C-alpha cells in the first residue's frame, strides 16, 4: 500500500510512452498497488511485452501521440471502460534524435512527439483528471521533462527546445490548477541518467545491454518520483550515480546566471568560460 491516495487500489492510471523504460516502471508500480493501468504507446512489440511483464489490471492501447484524434479515441475508451475518471495521468512519451539546423524532419519529429504529445494529452484528457478530484480522492498529472530542457547543453537544439517548452507548460499547468483544481497535483519529472531505450537521448547508445555504473534503473527513478510526490514537490529533479542533487542545483544556478549577469549563453561549455564555470560550480554554496 502507498500512503499517497493517488495510488489507491481501484484508481485508474493512464501512461503515455508506458511500454518501456520509465513509463513501464511507473505502470508496474501502479499495477502493484491494485490500480487499473492503461498503457498508451505506438510500439506494438513493446506493448505486447509490457502487458505480459506486468501483473495486475493492465490494458495496452496503440496510440500515436502526434495525432490528437488518437487521444480523442483514448479519451472515449476511458469514458466507456473506466468511468471517465483518470486518477494518475503520466504524459511520458518522448523520443531522442539528432540532426542539423538544415534538417526540418529532425525538428518536426521531436516537437511533434515531445511537445505536442503533452499538449494533446492535456487538451483531451485533463478534464478526466480534474472533474472528480477532491481532497479525499485527489488526482495527479506527471509530465516528463529533461535536464537538457533546463541546463540546455549544446548538441541537440530540437530536443532541448522541446523539453524546455514542456517545462513551461507544466509550470503553467501547476499554477492554473492550484486555482481551478487545487486537489490535482502536477509534477515535472526530470530524470537523471537512466538506463532506458532512449539511453540519454543518444541514438548511438540504444541497445546497450549492460547498465552503465553511473546510470539509474527506471525503477529507481519511479521510486524517487513517488517519494517526491508524497512530499508535494512539483520539480522532481532526479540524481543518478554520477550526479548528485547538489550538483544538479549548482549547474542549474550557473545556467540562470548567464542571463542575470549578461554573459553569453551556454558558458558552461564555452572554452573561454570553462575554467571559471568549473571552479564556480565546485565552490558554489547552495
Amino acid at each position: 500500500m502507498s500512503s499517497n491516495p493517488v495510488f489507491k487500489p481501484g484508481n485508474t492510471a493512464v501512461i503515455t510512452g508506458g511500454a518501456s523504460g520509465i513509463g513501464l516502471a511507473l505502470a508496474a508500480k501502479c499495477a502493484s498497488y491494485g490500480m487499473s493501468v492503461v498503457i498508451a504507446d505506438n510500439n506494438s512489440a513493446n506493448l505486447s511485452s509490457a502487458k505480459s511483464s506486468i501483473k495486475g489490471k493492465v490494458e495496452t492501447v496503440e496510440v500515436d501521440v502526434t495525432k490528437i484524434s488518437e487521444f480523442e479515441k483514448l479519451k472515449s475508451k476511458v469514458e466507456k471502460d473506466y468511468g471517465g475518471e483518470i486518477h494518475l495521468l503520466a504524459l511520458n512519451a518522448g523520443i531522442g534524435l539528432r540532426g542539423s539546423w538544415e534538417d526540418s524532419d529532425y525538428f518536426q519529429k521531436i516537437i511533434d512527439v515531445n511537445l505536442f504529445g503533452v499538449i494533446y494529452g492535456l487538451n483531451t484528457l485533463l478534464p478526466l483528471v480534474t472533474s472528480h478530484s477532491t481532497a479525499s480522492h485527489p488526482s495527479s498529472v506527471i509530465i516528463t521533462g529533461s535536464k537538457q530542457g533546463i541546463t540546455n547543453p549544446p548538441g541537440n537544439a530540437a530536443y532541448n527546445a522541446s523539453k524546455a517548452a514542456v517545462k513551461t507548460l507544466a509550470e503553467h499547468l501547476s499554477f492554473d490548477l492550484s486555482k481551478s483544481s487545487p486537489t490535482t497535483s502536477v509534477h515535472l519529472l526530470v530524470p537523471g541518467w537512466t538506463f532506458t531505450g532512449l539511453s540519454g537521448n543518444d541514438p548511438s547508445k540504444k541497445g546497450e545491454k549492460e547498465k552503465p555504473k553511473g546510470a539509474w534503473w527506471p525503477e529507481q527513478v519511479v521510486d524517487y518520483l513517488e517519494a517526491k510526490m508524497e512530499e508535494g514537490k512539483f520539480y522532481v529533479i532526479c540524481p543518478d550515480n554520477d550526479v548528485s542533487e547538489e550538483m544538479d542545483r549548482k549547474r542549474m544556478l550557473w545556467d540562470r546566471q548567464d542571463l542575470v549577469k549578461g554573459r553569453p549563453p551556454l558558458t558552461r561549455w564555452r572554452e573561454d568560460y570553462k575554467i571559471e564555470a568549473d571552479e564556480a560550480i565546485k565552490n558554489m554554496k547552495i
Side-chain angles (χ1 to χ4, degrees):
M1 293 288 292
S2 171
S3 57
N4 187 336
V6 169
F7 294 102
K8 180 182 176 181
N11 281 0
T12 298
V14 175
I15 304 169
T16 67
S20 62
I22 294 169
L24 180 61
L26 179 59
K29 177 173 286 289
C30 291
S32 73
Y33 286 136
M35 298 177 70
S36 296
V37 182
V38 180
I39 296 175
D41 204 291
N42 71 337
N43 188 311
S44 57
N46 284 350
L47 283 170
S48 177
S49 176
K51 187 173 179 61
S52 62
S53 68
I54 299 177
K55 296 180 180 180
K57 301 175 183 177
V58 178
E59 183 172 6
T60 58
V61 183
E62 192 163 345
V63 172
D64 181 349
V65 298
T66 69
K67 298 178 180 179
I68 195 169
S69 60
E70 300 214 1
F71 271 109
E72 293 286 1
K73 292 177 182 178
L74 179 59
K75 178 183 179 182
S76 296
K77 181 172 190 57
V78 173
E79 290 174 331
K80 177 184 176 183
D81 297 341
Y82 298 91
E85 295 184 355
I86 299 174
H87 303 87
L88 178 66
L89 173 63
L91 299 171
N92 170 73
I95 59 171
L97 303 172
R98 291 189 181 275
S100 67
W101 289 106
E102 296 80 19
D103 186 353
S104 60
D105 285 344
Y106 153 67
F107 282 90
Q108 189 72 58
K109 289 176 181 177
I110 286 181
I111 296 299
D112 280 350
V113 175
N114 294 359
L115 179 55
F116 278 94
V118 173
I119 293 173
Y120 292 156
L122 294 174
N123 291 160
T124 55
L125 301 178
L126 186 59
L128 304 188
V129 178
T130 59
S131 61
H132 60 88
S133 183
T134 64
S136 58
H137 295 90
S139 299
S140 293
V141 178
I142 299 165
I143 298 176
T144 302
S146 170
K147 292 179 185 179
Q148 289 182 229
I150 301 174
T151 57
N152 197 22
N156 203 338
Y159 182 85
N160 292 12
S162 73
K163 290 300 186 177
V166 163
K167 170 180 171 289
T168 297
L169 286 175
E171 290 168 340
H172 278 267
L173 180 66
S174 175
F175 180 85
D176 290 349
L177 292 187
S178 72
K179 299 176 183 296
S180 64
S181 184
T183 59
T184 302
S185 65
V186 181
H187 310 275
L188 178 66
L189 173 60
V190 182
W193 186 10
T194 309
F195 185 57
T196 71
L198 201 54
S199 293
N201 314 313
D202 184 350
S204 68
K205 293 183 179 180
K206 287 186 177 180
E208 284 184 331
K209 294 183 179 180
E210 293 188 13
K211 183 184 77 68
K213 291 182 179 179
W216 268 15
W217 292 104
E219 291 76 11
Q220 290 177 278
V221 173
V222 170
D223 287 345
Y224 188 86
L225 167 65
E226 183 183 11
K228 292 302 177 181
M229 289 175 67
E230 180 68 22
E231 295 174 14
K233 300 295 186 183
F234 168 79
Y235 296 105
V236 183
I237 312 295
C238 301
D240 52 49
N241 294 334
D242 278 351
V243 180
S244 67
E245 295 177 72
E246 181 183 19
M247 180 56 71
D248 273 330
R249 290 194 290 268
K250 289 180 176 182
R251 288 174 174 176
M252 288 185 281
L253 182 56
W254 175 269
D255 174 69
R256 294 290 83 92
Q257 289 176 346
D258 281 351
L259 175 63
V260 173
K261 295 186 176 183
R263 299 187 301 233
L266 312 185
T267 54
R268 195 174 131 216
W269 296 275
R270 290 178 183 259
E271 288 300 323
D272 47 344
Y273 281 90
K274 192 172 188 337
I275 295 176
E276 178 187 349
D278 288 347
E279 284 298 313
I281 291 172
K282 177 182 177 181
N283 298 314
M284 194 178 288
K285 303 298 182 182
I286 300 293

